[in-house]
Amino acid sequence: MQYSKLSGVEKAAILLLCLGEEASAAIFAELDDLEVRMISRCMMSIDHVPADIAREVLNECRQIQNKSIGLFVNGNDFVRRAIAGSGDEDRAEHLLEQVASGTEGRPLETISMMQPRMVASLLESEHPQTIALILSTQKSDHASRIVSYLPEELQADVMYRVAKIDRVAPEVIAQIEDALQREIGVVVSKEQKQVGGIDKVVEILGRLDKGGDRAILASLEATDPEMAESIRKKMFTFDDLVKLDNRSLQMVLREINNDTLTLALKSASEDIKAKIFSNISQRAAEMIQEDLEAMGPVRVSEVEAMQQMILQVALKLEEEGQLVIPGRGGEDALV
């Protein structure tokens, strides 16, 4: 190990090994994910830091280290404890998976740092199944932006395939990497990993610009009506009505009769009941509460049908531009 040949990442890795796990955890908390991955992978490859190298690194950081025999470390355990101590459990778990994938002999570079338009341009000539697999490994907000740049005739097909993905063997991912002749940033391990499915499609569609999800769902409806319905139910649920502002909720409720609303509230949470009761007249709220108390057992399918009817009214009003449903259409906000 020669100091003059060390890269900036290698120096950072050595510095953190010198500072210890507690300091490393605090520093990791301030770095972005890409920086943590790069430094961590370097740290995990180090088992000894010569004393002269340690001194050079510390001197460059305006710190002085006196006589030392150097550092003998277990880089793998050090990194795991440092990342785990960074304060964000979900982020730590995600980073540990990604760092571990880089020690399996395939040092992958994630495409999550690439511009969505560039990724779409790279992928649009690939088979839809290949695109689906790659998108399934990306964060949903990034994947949704990539989808928005794909040709319209390709979008629904890709989303259909994402929904059908369950678990993928690492050999398949390796074949895709070879075919693309570049590292595409997938998370791999010795075990199969769940990367796609309905939930992934819901996350991606939920972050598309307003109207993008409806066009894709309409196409999916023709291909697989059951899948399209499953996606719709997860994208916007009855309990999500609590996120509407009072004015918007009142607009929805004006389109619904009391019988439909009563049945829809049969299995609703207390939060949504309270939200709805506060947006109708006191007399109407009292009547619905009385009817609910007197109501006997009801089929779940009947309750869900009434809830879906109310949701369709909300979606129709959103499409007409009369209200905004928070959490749909990417990061668009109200002003």
Side-chain angles (χ1 to χ4, degrees):
M1 184 182 293
Q2 296 182 25
Y3 184 76
S4 61
K5 295 183 178 180
L6 293 179
S7 67
V9 173
E10 289 171 328
K11 291 178 182 178
I14 292 171
L15 175 62
L16 292 186
L17 289 171
C18 292
L19 294 178
E21 293 171 13
E22 186 175 348
S24 295
I27 292 171
F28 278 163
E30 301 299 322
L31 300 178
D32 63 39
D33 289 0
L34 178 60
E35 292 168 333
V36 172
R37 287 196 298 270
M38 293 172 64
I39 296 173
S40 295
R41 287 173 180 167
C42 185
M43 292 168 73
M44 292 173 74
S45 68
I46 299 173
D47 57 10
H48 175 250
V49 181
D52 59 329
I53 298 296
R55 279 195 297 270
E56 290 282 1
V57 170
L58 290 169
N59 284 336
E60 188 170 327
C61 296
R62 299 176 186 270
Q63 297 183 38
I64 300 175
Q65 179 173 338
N66 294 323
K67 293 181 179 180
S68 169
I69 60 171
L71 297 173
F72 288 90
V73 298
N74 184 327
N76 187 68
D77 290 345
F78 186 103
V79 164
R80 291 181 181 280
R81 289 194 293 268
I83 291 180
S86 62
D88 186 329
E89 292 184 6
D90 291 338
R91 181 187 183 221
E93 181 180 355
H94 181 63
L95 283 170
L96 284 171
E97 285 183 354
Q98 292 183 319
V99 171
S101 73
T103 63
E104 296 294 335
R106 290 195 290 266
L108 303 173
E109 180 179 358
T110 179
I111 64 170
S112 65
M113 302 303 293
M114 295 172 60
Q115 290 294 327
R117 187 189 297 273
M118 185 183 300
V119 178
S121 177
L122 170 68
L123 299 181
E124 64 181 5
S125 61
E126 297 296 329
H127 190 281
Q129 186 66 27
T130 300
I131 301 174
L133 178 56
I134 294 172
L135 290 182
S136 294
T137 67
Q138 300 300 300
K139 291 183 178 180
S140 299
D141 56 348
H142 188 55
S144 69
R145 295 188 184 100
I146 295 171
V147 169
S148 69
Y149 286 116
L150 291 174
E152 290 185 6
E153 64 273 14
L154 189 59
Q155 293 176 356
D157 188 13
V158 169
M159 288 296 93
Y160 175 78
R161 292 170 186 271
V162 171
K164 286 292 189 180
I165 293 173
D166 183 16
R167 296 180 182 275
V168 181
E171 306 85 65
V172 175
I173 293 177
Q175 291 171 4
I176 291 175
E177 292 173 333
D178 293 340
L180 292 175
Q181 296 182 333
R182 66 176 61 224
E183 297 167 343
I184 58 173
V186 293
V187 178
V188 295
S189 65
K190 291 182 178 179
E191 298 179 352
Q192 292 182 335
K193 180 176 180 65
Q194 184 171 350
V195 293
I198 296 292
D199 289 342
K200 189 69 176 184
V201 171
V202 170
E203 291 178 4
I204 294 173
L205 293 183
R207 288 168 170 78
L208 288 177
D209 290 337
K210 183 178 177 181
D213 59 334
R214 285 188 285 274
I216 291 176
L217 281 171
S219 296
L220 283 175
E221 185 78 46
T223 304
D224 192 329
E226 186 176 343
M227 176 190 289
E229 183 62 20
S230 297
I231 293 172
R232 281 196 180 96
K233 287 181 178 180
K234 288 198 171 189
M235 282 189 69
F236 181 43
T237 68
F238 192 67
D239 281 348
D240 286 336
L241 289 175
V242 77
K243 300 175 184 177
L244 294 179
D245 61 78
N246 291 336
R247 175 182 171 279
S248 296
L249 182 58
Q250 290 165 15
M251 292 175 61
V252 174
L253 295 176
R254 280 199 291 269
E255 305 289 327
I256 306 298
N257 62 50
N258 280 1
D259 290 340
T260 297
L261 184 56
T262 300
L263 190 52
L265 291 174
K266 175 66 175 176
S267 63
S269 67
E270 292 304 316
D271 286 344
I272 192 62
K273 286 180 182 177
K275 177 80 171 183
I276 288 177
F277 289 154
S278 67
N279 280 280
I280 58 178
S281 69
Q282 182 177 349
R283 177 56 183 156
E286 291 173 350
M287 289 177 59
I288 291 175
Q289 287 174 315
E290 291 172 0
D291 289 343
L292 285 172
E293 292 173 1
M295 187 183 296
V298 180
R299 288 188 176 88
V300 173
S301 59
E302 294 180 11
V303 175
E304 290 182 344
M306 295 301 101
Q307 291 179 347
Q308 284 299 312
M309 185 180 299
I310 296 173
L311 292 179
Q312 290 306 313
V313 170
L315 291 171
K316 178 176 177 292
L317 291 172
E318 182 197 41
E319 187 172 0
E320 294 172 352
Q322 298 188 53
L323 59 81
V324 172
I325 301 174
R328 286 166 51 80
E331 301 300 322
D332 196 19
L334 292 174
V335 293

